[in-house]
Amino acid sequence: MGFQGSPHSKLVQRKIGSAVNADREFSKISSDVSEIPIVLVPRNHRLPKFTLGVPSGPFVLYQKWNADKGLLKPGVRWLWWPWYRISHIATKRIISYNAPAKNCPTADNIMVNVDLSLTFQIGPDEVDAVNFVYSLGATRLDELLSAEAEEAIRALVYSVTHDKVNDLREEFAHGMLKTLKRKIKPYGVDILHVKITDVALPTDLQNRLESTTAYKTKLGEEEKTYENKVRILEDEATKELETVKRSNARKIQVIKAEQARFDLLKKAVENQTRGGSTIMQIEASTKSEMATKQAIGNEIIEIEKAHHKVEQILNQAKLESLRMKIEAKQQAAVMIIESEALIDVAESQAACMIADAEAEADGSEKLIEKRRFEVEWSRLDVLKKIAGKGRRFVTGEVGEAVLNDLIPETKF
């Protein structure tokens, strides 16, 4: 299987003539493009120098009598003695490092090539730079990164089948970043990013997978075409359905409008009918009340007329009774007067007759029967006269005396 990925990077430490050329040496591309200089060692001068230029970009470490003195500040140094020297110049740039792994077996024993790219930076302070230069260095950092990256890649690839390798790129990158940070950070190097840039399968398998992918792609296109046709049909059906719905909605609106108009007409007719019925009820009620009041008035009038008539009848009866009483009293008074006159006449005649009788008694007892007959005849004659003059009311002692006189007790 031919490897088609990027070449493996190599971290190196180079020697240079002067520290002033450090930036140019860090940017210089050598014949081996995979080499990446991260540490430069300037040539030591045995004679004192009047001036010394210190670059401002990288970390510049210096020594005195081969003992580390830390970081040398950038600028121009005057009168640089030979017991002082710049020991190392470490770059501050972010370095991109490629660590491809070849022929990594998967869980189903398929050999794959994995390209890994990571970025790191030395520092960011003087302590980290010194720690890196004297504890690790460029060559051992290259070996450490290469070993750790290849070990992690092979472990990852072996944990999955060939069709799942591409799915674990982000997960592997995150785990690899944490692992490298933990192992390399103590040496003054900070790992910034880790990324799997490529995964290459065997050529024949890749061709088959590409054919399968092409078929799947075609199948996907067919599915998308079918889904598109279905969507078009659904859209057309939806449009037709919406058209039918809108048509039905318009018909429903027309029907509702007709219904509303009918309801308004119905309410108007009902209101008119209620109004006519109310008017008729009011008129009937008014007529009934008027008839009732008229009947009550007529009843009152008839009652008043009856009372008046009864009063008239009572008054007439009272007047008639009073008139009859007056007439009766007058007739009684007349009869009393007449009776008294007759009584006086009768008394006078009786006295005369008594006198005659006494005279006759004295003359003869034989004349008693004759006198009785004459007295009786006279009494009857008085009764005849009284009866001939109408009815007379004689009451009291006078009437009793008259009756006694008119009807004397006869003793035989």
Side-chain angles (χ1 to χ4, degrees), residues 1-8 97-106 110-117 146 149-158 160-162 164-166 168-169 172-173 176 194-202:
M1 180 176 65
F3 178 65
Q4 302 297 330
S6 59
H8 200 296
Y97 182 82
N98 294 325
K102 299 179 181 180
N103 298 326
C104 301
T106 63
I110 302 298
M111 298 300 175
V112 297
N113 294 331
V114 180
D115 232 356
L116 181 135
S117 175
S146 179
E150 185 165 355
E151 181 183 357
I153 290 171
R154 290 184 180 278
L156 169 71
V157 172
Y158 191 72
V160 296
T161 57
H162 72 279
K164 300 294 184 182
V165 173
N166 289 322
L168 297 177
R169 288 189 178 189
F172 168 75
M176 186 69 178
V194 175
K195 182 179 181 182
I196 295 178
T197 58
D198 188 22
V199 176
L201 295 172

Side-chain angles (χ1 to χ4, degrees), residues 369-383:
E369 291 296 332
K370 184 180 177 182
R371 300 299 183 189
R372 288 182 181 176
F373 179 77
E374 290 177 355
V375 171
E376 184 67 20
W377 185 258
S378 298
R379 186 179 64 81
L380 293 172
D381 187 41
V382 171
L383 291 174

Side-chain angles (χ1 to χ4, degrees), residues 122-229:
I122 300 172
D125 53 17
E126 176 186 353
V127 176
D128 291 329
V130 172
N131 192 18
F132 167 70
V133 169
Y134 293 108
S135 299
L136 191 61
T139 303
R140 281 181 290 181
L141 176 61
D142 179 72
E143 294 174 354
L144 180 60
L145 288 177
S146 179
E148 290 291 337
E150 185 165 355
E151 181 183 357
I153 290 171
R154 290 184 180 278
L156 169 71
V157 172
Y158 191 72
S159 65
V160 296
T161 57
H162 72 279
D163 57 339
K164 300 294 184 182
V165 173
N166 289 322
D167 298 337
L168 297 177
R169 288 189 178 189
E170 292 185 3
E171 180 181 352
F172 168 75
H174 183 68
M176 186 69 178
L177 178 63
K178 292 176 63 176
T179 302
L180 292 177
K181 272 182 175 290
R182 184 178 69 253
K183 291 184 177 181
I184 300 179
K185 184 64 177 175
Y187 299 104
V189 179
D190 186 19
I191 305 298
L192 302 178
H193 300 286
V194 175
K195 182 179 181 182
I196 295 178
T197 58
D198 188 22
V199 176
L201 295 172
T203 305
D204 56 346
L205 179 61
Q206 186 69 31
N207 293 333
R208 292 178 184 178
L209 291 176
E210 288 178 357
S211 300
T212 304
T213 304
Y215 178 75
K216 289 182 178 179
T217 303
K218 186 176 181 180
L219 183 61
E221 291 177 355
E222 292 293 332
E223 289 180 353
K224 290 181 180 179
T225 303
Y226 173 75
E227 291 177 356
N228 189 27
K229 291 181 180 179

